[in-house]
Amino acid sequence: MLNLAPSPKVTAPQSSEKNHLKIIERTYQNNSQSDYTEKLAELGRNFDYSSNSQHYWTKPELSLLYGTPLYHEATAAQKLALNHLYWVGNYHYIAVSEASTSFYNLVTAGVFEKWGGYTDLCLELALETDQESHHIRTFQKVGYKTKLALVGKSTLGNPVTSPEQNSWQQKLKNLIPKQLEPLVGIRQRNLPFAAYQDYVLSLATKVLTLDKRYYSNYLQELEDQGKPLPSASEGIAGQVASRNWLKFYTYNWGMTPFMACQYYSFRYTANAFLKNQEYSYYNSYQELNRTGEFIPAPTAISYYHLLDESFHTTISQTIGKDMYKAFPKPSPYEKYLSGLMIARMQKNMLGGLSGVLPGRCVADDPLFMLFFYKLLKSPVFNLSEAEALWWLEECFCREHEGFHVGLKYQQNLLKMLRRFFSSLEYQTPENREMRIMAESGSIEKALNHNISAFKKFKQTLKKN
């Protein structure tokens, strides 16, 4: 557990600019006194799909396949289902991302605790982590009930490690001589292979980072207990980098105050991505509430979630744009690593355009097409294989209104991110101007990519 008392060995930052401390204190007070999380959780506990099934949960353009030729041919019931399934898919993505955020909150709080003077911030991050747990449970409950009603129960398999892989991993463990184990922090030879990987990544980070005084208490606890680091394969973090890369960044974010602050520039991207879509639900709630009309539970959940997340966004902005200036300037290594992370984020998370999922800023791939193929064959559309493939090609590989709607959301997000990153003097011009993301905002590029991806998708179906 984190000890929230300031460390006696270090002092609070000696900076003439303390506005960030006031903002953090005020944000923590306002967040702890709000009841948005409780209202959101109650809506989730009482959710019944049938009571909400005959209403749009926000404006129609935030629907799967919106603006495609198939959408124009869809029935009223199908359009409602597409609007609801958009909410489900979007909040599944958000739930997975928030699970990762909770972990990184603990990692970075362990650094700020070591520095001292940031008790309110550590308390705020702990509160955010608790709020995220309620968000995740609510999103999962609403998503499950909605999918069950619309497409029926589906079974999702998890990758299984084969005995051959286990044997191979054990051989790699045995390559580390017992005499060298204390040098890399290995205390038990019966640890899972993932823990050995983490020790190597931790050691590499400690070698590359000269200042180890503020190594996160939370990471130290995991290390002492021989527990491997969790890492996402989905959500925003999983989309940006592989698991081993994420673990490497985790150790760096948990090593120095600057790197801990740099994480929040990455987290702000998730906040902005969320707001870019969720603001529509917020407006829908406000309008329905003003006119006294029925407010669907998912619309209200999105409304209270955005209010909750507004506190989290303030924290991301304050740490990412201002608080880092109170700490020692980044080393060349830290600058390089920070630039690399944001460039990867631009390429992997923001490097494309979708014409079937408004707000998705990454190029459509065969796996994404498989999801829509299954949707078209589900009870929502009940199409044959040939019909589903024909419509997929029309939706993914032909220009239509959906691409222009997607471009609108992409451009809006680009503006938000440019405003944020333009002030980070340690970042590269490529990142301050979001050049990679800007170059990806092309319908022509998206169509060319999709045509190639669709060919690969059809070949995959033939093999199966």
Side-chain angles (χ1 to χ4, degrees):
M1 298 296 292
L2 289 174
N3 173 17
L4 296 178
S7 170
K9 297 182 181 180
V10 292
T11 58
Q14 299 300 310
S15 171
S16 58
E17 184 59 65
K18 295 291 185 69
N19 283 341
H20 68 273
L21 292 174
K22 296 177 182 178
I23 294 172
I24 290 168
E25 179 184 8
R26 183 168 64 248
T27 302
Y28 170 62
Q29 290 175 350
N30 292 339
N31 193 9
S32 59
Q33 292 169 7
S34 70
D35 62 352
Y36 307 137
T37 305
E38 291 77 8
K39 290 179 177 178
L40 177 151
E42 183 180 1
L43 286 163
R45 285 192 297 269
N46 298 326
F47 177 72
D48 172 62
Y49 179 72
S50 62
S51 302
N52 298 271
S53 62
Q54 300 304 310
H55 303 268
Y56 277 93
W57 294 351
T58 190
K59 56 186 177 182
E61 72 176 30
L62 286 185
S63 302
L64 299 182
L65 298 168
Y66 180 82
T68 66
L70 178 60
Y71 188 87
H72 291 299
E73 296 290 330
T75 66
Q78 287 169 336
K79 289 178 178 178
L80 278 174
L82 294 173
N83 187 255
H84 301 166
L85 289 172
Y86 180 97
W87 191 102
V88 171
N90 195 39
Y91 282 93
H92 168 76
Y93 184 75
I94 292 170
V96 176
S97 300
E98 290 192 346
S100 297
T101 297
S102 298
F103 170 65
Y104 296 130
N105 284 355
L106 293 170
V107 171
T108 53
V111 177
F112 301 137
E113 176 201 1
K114 276 278 189 74
W115 181 278
Y118 284 101
T119 300
D120 281 342
L121 176 57
C122 292
L123 289 170
E124 166 63 21
L125 293 177
L127 175 59
E128 288 182 8
T129 297
D130 179 68
Q131 291 172 327
E132 304 290 29
S133 68
H134 292 286
H135 298 171
I136 292 167
R137 284 196 292 271
T138 297
F139 300 154
Q140 289 176 334
K141 183 169 290 188
V142 174
Y144 176 77
K145 290 184 177 181
T146 302
K147 286 190 294 184
L148 188 64
L150 291 174
V151 299
K153 190 173 183 180
S154 60
T155 303
L156 299 178
N158 295 317
V160 178
T161 302
S162 68
E164 290 77 15
Q165 287 174 307
N166 285 330
S167 174
W168 177 75
Q169 291 175 353
Q170 187 60 46
K171 289 177 182 178
L172 281 182
K173 285 185 187 181
N174 294 335
L175 290 176
I176 304 173
K178 289 186 178 181
Q179 295 86 343
L180 296 181
E181 289 175 3
L183 297 180
V184 295
I186 295 176
R187 298 173 177 82
Q188 304 176 52
R189 290 188 66 81
N190 60 346
L191 294 177
F193 180 68
Y196 282 81
Q197 288 180 313
D198 292 350
Y199 281 126
V200 173
L201 292 171
S202 173
L203 177 64
T205 305
K206 291 173 183 177
V207 170
L208 292 167
T209 306
L210 297 177
D211 191 351
K212 308 174 186 66
R213 291 174 295 167
Y214 308 110
Y215 185 54
S216 172
N217 285 336
Y218 181 70
L219 287 180
Q220 190 64 60
E221 289 177 11
L222 292 180
E223 194 172 311
D224 291 341
Q225 295 167 15
K227 294 181 178 179
L229 289 185
S231 59
S233 60
E234 294 184 86
I236 287 174
Q239 192 175 358
V240 169
S242 67
R243 287 182 171 181
N244 282 339
W245 265 108
L246 283 176
K247 288 183 177 184
F248 180 65
Y249 271 99
T250 299
Y251 281 116
N252 281 275
W253 287 328
M255 186 63 69
T256 66
F258 171 79
M259 287 304 297
C261 289
Q262 189 274 318
Y263 160 71
Y264 287 87
S265 68
F266 172 61
R267 195 180 93 161
Y268 173 77
T269 306
N271 299 139
F273 184 89
L274 170 68
K275 181 180 179 181
N276 192 40
Q277 300 169 62
E278 200 166 46
Y279 197 64
S280 173
Y281 294 93
Y282 177 90
N283 285 337
S284 295
Y285 178 96
Q286 293 277 58
E287 178 62 22
L288 293 171
N289 188 51
R290 185 183 64 81
T291 58
E293 297 178 61
F294 174 79
I295 301 176
T299 308
I301 289 170
S302 296
Y303 172 82
Y304 288 116
H305 184 247
L306 185 63
L307 293 176
D308 244 0
E309 287 292 327
S310 66
F311 298 119
H312 304 191
T313 301
T314 298
I315 292 297
S316 294
Q317 288 178 311
T318 303
I319 299 176
K321 288 182 68 174
D322 300 315
M323 195 173 107
Y324 78 91
K325 299 174 185 176
F327 299 116
K329 291 185 177 181
S331 66
Y333 166 74
E334 289 176 319
K335 280 188 176 181
Y336 172 77
L337 201 62
S338 300
L340 183 62
M341 164 51 77
I342 302 306
R344 290 178 68 92
M345 177 199 74
Q346 286 196 72
K347 180 180 178 181
N348 297 336
M349 175 187 162
L350 305 169
L353 186 67
S354 176
V356 297
L357 185 62
R360 173 182 163 93
C361 296
V362 67
D364 299 327
D365 55 28
L367 186 61
F368 194 59
M369 293 175 179
L370 178 61
F371 166 79
F372 281 92
Y373 176 73
K374 291 181 177 179
L375 173 63
L376 297 188
K377 295 184 68 179
S378 76
V380 176
F381 287 96
N382 200 28
L383 298 182
S384 67
E385 180 178 335
E387 290 171 327
L389 285 172
W390 189 86
W391 277 114
L392 280 183
E393 188 168 15
E394 290 295 303
C395 295
F396 280 97
C397 305
R398 309 280 187 268
E399 184 174 351
H400 51 70
E401 182 187 359
F403 282 102
H404 294 272
V405 173
L407 183 60
K408 178 183 70 173
Y409 281 90
Q410 192 262 5
Q411 292 294 300
N412 190 53
L413 180 59
L414 176 63
K415 290 178 183 178
M416 285 193 282
L417 295 180
R418 277 178 165 169
R419 282 198 299 268
F420 179 87
F421 283 98
S422 63
S423 66
L424 303 186
E425 80 288 342
Y426 65 86
Q427 278 294 350
T428 64
E430 178 183 62
N431 290 332
R432 289 200 298 270
E433 298 168 13
M434 290 282 115
R435 292 177 186 173
I436 299 174
M437 181 183 182
E439 291 173 1
S440 70
S442 164
I443 294 175
E444 181 181 0
K445 287 182 179 179
L447 287 169
N448 290 335
H449 172 87
N450 284 5
I451 290 170
S452 176
F454 185 69
K455 290 179 181 178
K456 293 178 182 178
F457 168 69
K458 287 198 298 183
Q459 291 172 356
T460 301
L461 282 185
K462 289 178 182 179
K463 292 179 182 179
N464 295 333

